[in-house]
Short mmCIF file of all heavy atoms in Angstrom, two decimals:
data_model
loop_
_atom_site.label_atom_id
_atom_site.label_comp_id
_atom_site.label_asym_id
_atom_site.label_seq_id
_atom_site.Cartn_x
_atom_site.Cartn_y
_atom_site.Cartn_z
N ARG X 1 246.79 -8.41 -87.81
CA ARG X 1 247.45 -8.03 -86.57
C ARG X 1 246.57 -7.04 -85.84
O ARG X 1 246.56 -5.83 -86.14
CB ARG X 1 248.84 -7.45 -86.88
CG ARG X 1 249.78 -8.46 -87.54
CD ARG X 1 251.14 -7.84 -87.87
NE ARG X 1 252.06 -8.84 -88.42
CZ ARG X 1 252.12 -9.17 -89.70
NH1 ARG X 1 251.30 -8.58 -90.58
NH2 ARG X 1 252.97 -10.10 -90.12
N ILE X 2 245.79 -7.57 -84.90
CA ILE X 2 244.76 -6.77 -84.23
C ILE X 2 245.37 -5.57 -83.50
O ILE X 2 244.87 -4.44 -83.61
CB ILE X 2 243.98 -7.64 -83.22
CG1 ILE X 2 243.25 -8.77 -83.95
CG2 ILE X 2 242.98 -6.77 -82.46
CD1 ILE X 2 242.18 -8.31 -84.89
N GLU X 3 246.45 -5.80 -82.76
CA GLU X 3 247.03 -4.70 -81.98
C GLU X 3 247.48 -3.57 -82.88
O GLU X 3 247.26 -2.39 -82.58
CB GLU X 3 248.20 -5.22 -81.13
CG GLU X 3 247.78 -6.13 -80.00
CD GLU X 3 248.96 -6.53 -79.12
OE1 GLU X 3 250.07 -6.03 -79.38
OE2 GLU X 3 248.75 -7.34 -78.20
N SER X 4 248.10 -3.90 -84.01
CA SER X 4 248.59 -2.89 -84.94
C SER X 4 247.42 -2.13 -85.56
O SER X 4 247.43 -0.90 -85.65
CB SER X 4 249.44 -3.55 -86.03
OG SER X 4 249.83 -2.60 -87.00
N LEU X 5 246.38 -2.86 -85.98
CA LEU X 5 245.22 -2.22 -86.60
C LEU X 5 244.51 -1.32 -85.60
O LEU X 5 244.14 -0.18 -85.93
CB LEU X 5 244.25 -3.29 -87.12
CG LEU X 5 242.95 -2.78 -87.77
CD1 LEU X 5 243.24 -1.84 -88.92
CD2 LEU X 5 242.10 -3.97 -88.23
N ALA X 6 244.31 -1.81 -84.38
CA ALA X 6 243.64 -1.01 -83.36
C ALA X 6 244.43 0.27 -83.06
O ALA X 6 243.85 1.35 -82.93
CB ALA X 6 243.46 -1.83 -82.09
N ARG X 7 245.74 0.13 -82.98
CA ARG X 7 246.58 1.30 -82.70
C ARG X 7 246.48 2.33 -83.82
O ARG X 7 246.38 3.54 -83.56
CB ARG X 7 248.03 0.86 -82.52
CG ARG X 7 248.96 1.97 -82.05
CD ARG X 7 250.30 1.41 -81.57
NE ARG X 7 250.95 0.58 -82.58
CZ ARG X 7 251.08 -0.74 -82.47
NH1 ARG X 7 250.61 -1.38 -81.40
NH2 ARG X 7 251.69 -1.44 -83.42
N GLU X 8 246.47 1.87 -85.07
CA GLU X 8 246.33 2.79 -86.20
C GLU X 8 244.99 3.52 -86.17
O GLU X 8 244.89 4.67 -86.63
CB GLU X 8 246.46 2.02 -87.52
CG GLU X 8 247.86 1.54 -87.82
CD GLU X 8 247.91 0.76 -89.12
OE1 GLU X 8 247.13 1.11 -90.04
OE2 GLU X 8 248.69 -0.20 -89.20
N LEU X 9 243.97 2.88 -85.62
CA LEU X 9 242.65 3.48 -85.56
C LEU X 9 242.41 4.26 -84.27
O LEU X 9 241.31 4.78 -84.04
CB LEU X 9 241.58 2.38 -85.70
CG LEU X 9 241.57 1.65 -87.05
CD1 LEU X 9 240.62 0.46 -87.01
CD2 LEU X 9 241.18 2.59 -88.18
N GLY X 10 243.45 4.31 -83.43
CA GLY X 10 243.34 5.10 -82.21
C GLY X 10 242.59 4.44 -81.08
O GLY X 10 241.96 5.11 -80.25
N MET X 11 242.61 3.10 -81.03
CA MET X 11 241.90 2.35 -80.00
C MET X 11 242.82 1.33 -79.37
O MET X 11 243.79 0.89 -79.99
CB MET X 11 240.69 1.59 -80.58
CG MET X 11 239.50 2.42 -80.95
SD MET X 11 238.13 1.33 -81.45
CE MET X 11 236.83 2.53 -81.72
N SER X 12 242.49 0.93 -78.15
CA SER X 12 243.15 -0.23 -77.56
C SER X 12 242.59 -1.48 -78.22
O SER X 12 241.50 -1.46 -78.80
CB SER X 12 242.89 -0.28 -76.06
OG SER X 12 241.53 -0.55 -75.80
N SER X 13 243.31 -2.59 -78.13
CA SER X 13 242.84 -3.85 -78.72
C SER X 13 241.50 -4.27 -78.12
O SER X 13 240.58 -4.70 -78.83
CB SER X 13 243.87 -4.96 -78.50
OG SER X 13 245.07 -4.66 -79.15
N THR X 14 241.38 -4.12 -76.80
CA THR X 14 240.15 -4.52 -76.12
C THR X 14 238.97 -3.67 -76.58
O THR X 14 237.88 -4.20 -76.88
CB THR X 14 240.31 -4.37 -74.59
OG1 THR X 14 241.40 -5.19 -74.17
CG2 THR X 14 239.05 -4.80 -73.87
N ARG X 15 239.17 -2.37 -76.66
CA ARG X 15 238.08 -1.48 -77.08
C ARG X 15 237.71 -1.72 -78.54
O ARG X 15 236.54 -1.70 -78.91
CB ARG X 15 238.53 -0.03 -76.87
CG ARG X 15 237.43 1.00 -77.08
CD ARG X 15 237.81 2.32 -76.41
NE ARG X 15 236.86 3.36 -76.76
CZ ARG X 15 237.08 4.33 -77.63
NH1 ARG X 15 238.26 4.39 -78.26
NH2 ARG X 15 236.17 5.25 -77.89
N PHE X 16 238.72 -1.97 -79.36
CA PHE X 16 238.46 -2.26 -80.77
C PHE X 16 237.62 -3.52 -80.92
O PHE X 16 236.62 -3.54 -81.65
CB PHE X 16 239.78 -2.41 -81.52
CG PHE X 16 239.64 -2.83 -82.95
CD1 PHE X 16 239.04 -2.00 -83.89
CD2 PHE X 16 240.09 -4.08 -83.37
CE1 PHE X 16 238.90 -2.39 -85.21
CE2 PHE X 16 239.95 -4.48 -84.68
CZ PHE X 16 239.36 -3.64 -85.61
N HIS X 17 238.02 -4.59 -80.24
CA HIS X 17 237.25 -5.84 -80.26
C HIS X 17 235.80 -5.59 -79.84
O HIS X 17 234.86 -6.09 -80.46
CB HIS X 17 237.87 -6.86 -79.31
CG HIS X 17 238.78 -7.84 -79.99
ND1 HIS X 17 238.33 -8.90 -80.73
CD2 HIS X 17 240.14 -7.91 -80.03
CE1 HIS X 17 239.35 -9.60 -81.19
NE2 HIS X 17 240.46 -9.01 -80.79
N HIS X 18 235.64 -4.83 -78.77
CA HIS X 18 234.32 -4.59 -78.20
C HIS X 18 233.42 -3.88 -79.20
O HIS X 18 232.29 -4.31 -79.47
CB HIS X 18 234.48 -3.75 -76.93
CG HIS X 18 233.18 -3.46 -76.24
ND1 HIS X 18 232.43 -4.43 -75.64
CD2 HIS X 18 232.51 -2.29 -76.06
CE1 HIS X 18 231.34 -3.90 -75.11
NE2 HIS X 18 231.37 -2.59 -75.36
N HIS X 19 233.91 -2.80 -79.79
CA HIS X 19 233.11 -2.03 -80.73
C HIS X 19 232.89 -2.81 -82.03
O HIS X 19 231.80 -2.74 -82.63
CB HIS X 19 233.77 -0.69 -81.04
CG HIS X 19 233.66 0.30 -79.93
ND1 HIS X 19 232.46 0.61 -79.33
CD2 HIS X 19 234.60 1.07 -79.31
CE1 HIS X 19 232.66 1.52 -78.40
NE2 HIS X 19 233.95 1.81 -78.36
N PHE X 20 233.89 -3.54 -82.49
CA PHE X 20 233.78 -4.32 -83.72
C PHE X 20 232.66 -5.36 -83.59
O PHE X 20 231.81 -5.48 -84.47
CB PHE X 20 235.11 -5.00 -84.04
CG PHE X 20 235.19 -5.58 -85.43
CD1 PHE X 20 235.80 -4.87 -86.45
CD2 PHE X 20 234.65 -6.83 -85.73
CE1 PHE X 20 235.88 -5.38 -87.74
CE2 PHE X 20 234.72 -7.35 -87.01
CZ PHE X 20 235.34 -6.63 -88.02
N LYS X 21 232.65 -6.08 -82.48
CA LYS X 21 231.63 -7.12 -82.30
C LYS X 21 230.26 -6.51 -82.05
O LYS X 21 229.23 -7.07 -82.45
CB LYS X 21 232.01 -8.05 -81.15
CG LYS X 21 231.12 -9.29 -81.09
CD LYS X 21 231.79 -10.44 -80.39
CE LYS X 21 230.96 -11.71 -80.56
NZ LYS X 21 231.62 -12.89 -79.97
N ALA X 22 230.22 -5.33 -81.39
CA ALA X 22 228.94 -4.67 -81.16
C ALA X 22 228.25 -4.31 -82.47
O ALA X 22 227.02 -4.34 -82.57
CB ALA X 22 229.14 -3.41 -80.32
N VAL X 23 229.02 -4.00 -83.49
CA VAL X 23 228.47 -3.60 -84.78
C VAL X 23 228.22 -4.81 -85.68
O VAL X 23 227.18 -4.91 -86.33
CB VAL X 23 229.40 -2.59 -85.49
CG1 VAL X 23 228.94 -2.33 -86.92
CG2 VAL X 23 229.45 -1.28 -84.71
N THR X 24 229.16 -5.75 -85.74
CA THR X 24 229.12 -6.81 -86.76
C THR X 24 228.64 -8.16 -86.26
O THR X 24 228.38 -9.06 -87.08
CB THR X 24 230.52 -7.02 -87.36
OG1 THR X 24 231.38 -7.56 -86.35
CG2 THR X 24 231.10 -5.70 -87.88
N ASP X 25 228.53 -8.36 -84.95
CA ASP X 25 228.21 -9.67 -84.36
C ASP X 25 229.34 -10.68 -84.56
O ASP X 25 229.15 -11.88 -84.37
CB ASP X 25 226.92 -10.27 -84.94
CG ASP X 25 225.68 -9.53 -84.48
OD1 ASP X 25 225.62 -9.17 -83.29
OD2 ASP X 25 224.78 -9.30 -85.30
N MET X 26 230.52 -10.21 -84.98
CA MET X 26 231.67 -11.09 -85.21
C MET X 26 232.93 -10.46 -84.65
O MET X 26 233.01 -9.23 -84.52
CB MET X 26 231.89 -11.30 -86.72
CG MET X 26 230.87 -12.18 -87.40
SD MET X 26 231.11 -12.21 -89.21
CE MET X 26 230.05 -10.84 -89.68
N SER X 27 233.91 -11.29 -84.34
CA SER X 27 235.23 -10.78 -84.02
C SER X 27 235.93 -10.43 -85.33
O SER X 27 235.53 -10.91 -86.40
CB SER X 27 236.04 -11.84 -83.27
OG SER X 27 236.41 -12.89 -84.15
N PRO X 28 236.99 -9.62 -85.31
CA PRO X 28 237.72 -9.33 -86.54
C PRO X 28 238.22 -10.59 -87.24
O PRO X 28 238.19 -10.69 -88.47
CB PRO X 28 238.87 -8.44 -86.06
CG PRO X 28 238.35 -7.78 -84.84
CD PRO X 28 237.49 -8.82 -84.18
N LEU X 29 238.67 -11.58 -86.46
CA LEU X 29 239.17 -12.82 -87.06
C LEU X 29 238.05 -13.60 -87.75
O LEU X 29 238.24 -14.16 -88.83
CB LEU X 29 239.85 -13.69 -86.00
CG LEU X 29 241.25 -13.23 -85.56
CD1 LEU X 29 241.71 -14.03 -84.35
CD2 LEU X 29 242.25 -13.37 -86.71
N GLN X 30 236.87 -13.65 -87.11
CA GLN X 30 235.73 -14.33 -87.74
C GLN X 30 235.33 -13.62 -89.04
O GLN X 30 235.03 -14.27 -90.04
CB GLN X 30 234.54 -14.34 -86.78
CG GLN X 30 234.68 -15.30 -85.61
CD GLN X 30 233.52 -15.15 -84.64
OE1 GLN X 30 233.12 -14.03 -84.27
NE2 GLN X 30 232.96 -16.26 -84.20
N PHE X 31 235.34 -12.30 -89.00
CA PHE X 31 234.99 -11.50 -90.17
C PHE X 31 235.96 -11.81 -91.32
O PHE X 31 235.55 -12.09 -92.45
CB PHE X 31 235.05 -10.02 -89.80
CG PHE X 31 234.64 -9.07 -90.91
CD1 PHE X 31 233.33 -8.66 -91.03
CD2 PHE X 31 235.58 -8.58 -91.80
CE1 PHE X 31 232.94 -7.79 -92.04
CE2 PHE X 31 235.21 -7.70 -92.82
CZ PHE X 31 233.89 -7.31 -92.92
N GLN X 32 237.26 -11.80 -91.02
CA GLN X 32 238.26 -12.07 -92.04
C GLN X 32 238.11 -13.50 -92.58
O GLN X 32 238.20 -13.73 -93.79
CB GLN X 32 239.67 -11.88 -91.48
CG GLN X 32 240.76 -12.10 -92.51
CD GLN X 32 242.13 -12.25 -91.89
OE1 GLN X 32 242.35 -13.10 -91.03
NE2 GLN X 32 243.05 -11.38 -92.30
N LYS X 33 237.87 -14.46 -91.69
CA LYS X 33 237.76 -15.85 -92.12
C LYS X 33 236.59 -16.04 -93.08
O LYS X 33 236.72 -16.73 -94.10
CB LYS X 33 237.59 -16.77 -90.90
CG LYS X 33 237.47 -18.24 -91.26
CD LYS X 33 237.28 -19.11 -90.03
CE LYS X 33 238.55 -19.18 -89.21
NZ LYS X 33 238.44 -20.17 -88.10
N GLN X 34 235.45 -15.41 -92.78
CA GLN X 34 234.30 -15.57 -93.67
C GLN X 34 234.56 -14.93 -95.03
O GLN X 34 234.15 -15.46 -96.07
CB GLN X 34 233.05 -14.98 -93.01
CG GLN X 34 232.59 -15.80 -91.82
CD GLN X 34 231.15 -15.52 -91.43
OE1 GLN X 34 230.34 -15.09 -92.24
NE2 GLN X 34 230.82 -15.78 -90.18
N LEU X 35 235.23 -13.79 -95.05
CA LEU X 35 235.59 -13.18 -96.33
C LEU X 35 236.51 -14.11 -97.13
O LEU X 35 236.33 -14.28 -98.34
CB LEU X 35 236.30 -11.85 -96.10
CG LEU X 35 235.46 -10.67 -95.61
CD1 LEU X 35 236.36 -9.46 -95.38
CD2 LEU X 35 234.35 -10.33 -96.58
N ARG X 36 237.49 -14.70 -96.46
CA ARG X 36 238.42 -15.60 -97.14
C ARG X 36 237.70 -16.82 -97.72
O ARG X 36 237.94 -17.21 -98.87
CB ARG X 36 239.50 -16.07 -96.16
CG ARG X 36 240.53 -15.01 -95.82
CD ARG X 36 241.57 -15.54 -94.84
NE ARG X 36 242.70 -14.62 -94.73
CZ ARG X 36 243.79 -14.87 -94.02
NH1 ARG X 36 243.89 -16.02 -93.35
NH2 ARG X 36 244.77 -13.99 -93.99
#
């Protein structure tokens, strides 16, 4: 749940997505899928 996770980390969903992809080259969903 991206919105919930972003809120817990003190970010908006958009900002969280932006910073997450800037670091990992993946969206959170892509990251989770590859781990699974």
Side-chain angles (χ1 to χ4, degrees):
R1 297 179 176 85
I2 298 295
E3 290 184 4
S4 175
L5 178 57
R7 187 166 55 250
E8 288 179 34
L9 295 172
M11 286 186 176
S12 67
S13 297
T14 301
R15 188 161 172 256
F16 174 66
H17 263 283
H18 181 67
H19 286 309
F20 192 98
K21 191 157 189 176
V23 172
T24 67
D25 289 319
M26 288 173 269
S27 71
L29 284 171
Q30 287 175 314
F31 183 91
Q32 182 194 56
K33 180 181 289 188
Q34 291 199 24
L35 288 178
R36 286 180 168 185

